[in-house]
């Protein structure tokens, strides 16, 4: 007996550019993909997962609201904006047919960036604290003041904990402080067209620093 | 304090003004949206995302209150405070228009 063949949906993945840095770019890309017959079904980490669907003309919009109630989506639907997907209950993606009046009032579109920046402010602060504590531990473990007080085992432990905190805090900073600063810039009216490049360089730089520290620590070549 | 939060300063922005006016009688959030979409000659556009945040801000400022909720939809209505703010704002806008009209009229 032949088993019935399961028909899997045809999917494709696209790397997100990071909404804080390239919102316009990603929204235009979604519109282009929708016209080519690809429908967004999931945002997973740094990826967007799209599924084959009939081609449709859509425009997309992003809004930031911390855990909105269902009324939010109802009001948006009344104005012609269909909810597509939400990321972590904070970032909400909508689509509408071209020509639908904007999801924001005139002069009000940048206020959403203040809300977005506020969402990242606290995590960015905590990452900075972790990072600062780590850096201090690493630096202090080499000072004569600490060396005179503790034996080698304790110093190595302080050094190791500091190192772990630096890596952890540094990584967290990339995903909190960078978006926070980008949203702050947007909220004060910058278009962030070219600064995307600046952010890419900063991102790569931070990654390289962390890589260098890990490498230096593992090979014990000193800082 | 966010820069754009002008409610506490006594002056209502356009979105807040239209939404307060729409709620002199109780309405659902989506009914306010429908009403605003029908504003004649498209002189105003209030987006749904802005409407939602403005409703919440006006409730927090005590100018609106939620008087009922049926499932998803909440019913909003203006408070006495909101009413007096709205009346002040109407008077202020009328004075602005009268001033400008007088000057424009004298140029003709």
């Amino acid at each position: 007996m032949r088993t019935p063949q399961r028909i899997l949906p045809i999917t494709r993945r696209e790397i997100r550019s990071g909404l804080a840095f390239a919102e316009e770019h990603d929204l235009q890309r979604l519109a282009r993909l929708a016209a080519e017959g690809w429908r967004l079904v999931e945002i997973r980490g740094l990826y967007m997962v799209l599924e084959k669907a009939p081609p449709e003309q859509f425009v997309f919009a992003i809004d930031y609201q911390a855990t909105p109630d269902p009324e939010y989506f109802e009001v948006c639907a009344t104005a012609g904006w269909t909810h597509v997907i939400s990321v972590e209950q904070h970032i909400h993606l909508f689509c509408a047919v071209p020509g639908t009046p904007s999801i924001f009032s005139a002069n009000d579109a940048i206020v959403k960036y203040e809300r977005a920046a506020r969402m990242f402010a606290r995590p960015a602060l905590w990452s900075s604290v972790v990072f600062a504590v780590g850096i201090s531990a690493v630096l202090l473990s080499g000072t004569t003041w600490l060396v005179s007080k503790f034996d080698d085992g304790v110093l190595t432990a302080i050094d190791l904990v500091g190192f772990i905190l630096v890596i952890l805090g540094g990584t967290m900073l990339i995903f909190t402080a960078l978006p926070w600063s980008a949203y702050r810039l947007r909220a004060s009216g910058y278009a962030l067209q070219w600064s995307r490049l600046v952010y890419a360089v900063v991102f790569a730089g931070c990654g390289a620093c962390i890589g260098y520290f890990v490498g230096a620590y593992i090979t014990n070549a000193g800082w | 304090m966010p820069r754009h939060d002008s409610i506490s300063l006594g002056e209502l922005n356009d979105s807040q003004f239209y939404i307060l006016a729409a709620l002199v009688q109780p309405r659902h959030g989506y009914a306010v949206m429908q009403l605003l979409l029908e504003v004649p000659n498209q002189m105003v556009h209030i987006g749904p995302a802005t409407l939602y945040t403005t409703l919440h801000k006006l409730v927090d400022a005590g100018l609106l209150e939620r008087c009922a909720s049926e499932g998803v939809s909440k019913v909003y209505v203006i408070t006495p405070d909101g009413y007096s703010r709205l009346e002040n704002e109407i008077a202020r806008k009328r004075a602005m228009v009268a001033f400008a009209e007088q000057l424009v009229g004298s140029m003709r």
Side-chain angles (χ1 to χ4, degrees):
Chain A
M1 205 179 88
R2 278 183 60 193
T3 48
Q5 206 178 350
R6 247 181 91 208
I7 301 163
L8 288 169
I10 305 163
T11 59
R12 71 185 263 180
R13 284 158 171 242
E14 292 268 327
I15 297 177
R16 293 163 65 193
S17 321
L19 281 173
F21 318 110
E23 176 183 310
E24 301 80 5
H25 176 81
D26 268 1
L27 293 185
Q28 279 165 16
R29 189 158 56 144
L30 279 176
R32 202 181 59 237
L33 286 165
E36 290 169 10
W38 291 97
R39 192 169 55 95
L40 180 71
V41 284
E42 200 184 349
I43 290 176
R44 197 186 291 164
L46 294 172
Y47 284 100
M48 311 190 280
V49 182
L50 297 109
E51 210 172 80
K52 196 74 190 135
E56 278 177 296
Q57 297 293 330
F58 277 136
V59 287
F60 289 84
I62 280 282
D63 188 28
Y64 303 87
Q65 298 276 355
T67 54
D69 47 52
E71 185 189 30
Y72 169 63
F73 301 106
E74 189 193 44
V75 170
C76 289
T78 307
W81 287 94
T82 311
H83 178 225
V84 182
I85 220 166
S86 294
V87 184
E88 292 157 11
Q89 300 183 336
H90 287 312
I91 306 171
H92 313 283
L93 180 69
F94 292 89
C95 73
V97 292
T100 305
S102 163
I103 195 161
F104 305 105
S105 301
N107 310 323
D108 197 33
I110 62 165
V111 181
K112 70 171 177 175
Y113 296 123
E114 291 184 356
R115 289 199 297 274
R118 236 173 288 150
M119 288 173 192
F120 279 94
R122 201 174 285 262
L125 187 70
W126 282 115
S127 321
S128 318
V129 170
V130 170
F131 189 72
V133 168
I135 286 278
S136 330
V138 168
L139 293 180
L140 279 177
S141 67
T143 55
T144 44
W145 177 68
L146 267 190
V147 171
S148 64
K149 282 196 161 183
F150 298 108
D151 58 32
D152 267 2
V154 178
L155 286 175
T156 315
I158 292 177
D159 194 36
L160 181 67
V161 169
F163 167 73
I164 290 169
L165 290 183
V166 167
I167 301 302
L168 209 72
T171 314
M172 277 154 58
L173 271 178
I174 291 178
F175 291 100
T176 53
L178 282 187
W180 174 81
S181 66
Y183 285 128
R184 278 306 339 157
L185 283 177
R186 282 173 179 277
S188 38
Y190 285 94
L192 279 196
Q193 285 291 346
W194 290 103
S195 5
R196 259 171 64 199
L197 275 176
V198 178
Y199 272 101
V201 171
V202 173
F203 192 85
C206 294
C209 283
I210 290 177
Y212 171 79
F213 273 104
V214 173
Y217 197 86
I218 288 172
T219 55
N220 212 5
W223 306 105
Chain B
M1 204 63 183
R3 277 183 299 128
H4 297 270
D5 193 357
S6 58
I7 295 181
S8 52
L9 300 176
E11 196 175 294
L12 297 173
N13 69 28
D14 285 359
S15 302
Q16 293 160 355
F17 179 75
Y18 275 101
I19 292 167
L20 270 188
L23 287 164
V24 291
Q25 66 179 77
R27 282 178 216 273
H28 288 110
Y30 69 82
V32 175
M33 189 72 245
Q34 275 168 343
L35 187 75
L36 295 175
L37 289 172
E38 289 161 12
V39 172
N41 51 12
Q42 295 294 309
M43 292 292 277
V44 57
H45 168 64
I46 292 164
T50 309
L51 170 64
Y52 177 81
T53 31
T54 310
L55 281 174
H56 281 238
K57 270 190 194 170
L58 289 169
V59 169
D60 290 344
L63 305 185
L64 288 181
E65 62 184 357
R66 299 190 181 93
C67 58
S69 59
E70 298 160 22
V72 166
S73 317
K74 298 184 184 83
V75 179
Y76 297 87
V77 72
I78 199 163
T79 61
D81 263 4
Y83 205 87
S84 65
R85 285 286 275 277
L86 181 64
E87 279 187 322
N88 286 345
E89 193 61 26
I90 292 173
R92 196 181 72 88
K93 286 195 156 51
R94 208 175 259 147
M96 283 166 67
V97 171
F99 174 78
E101 267 179 350
Q102 191 193 346
L103 292 176
V104 171
S106 69
M107 294 290 290
R108 290 210 178 110

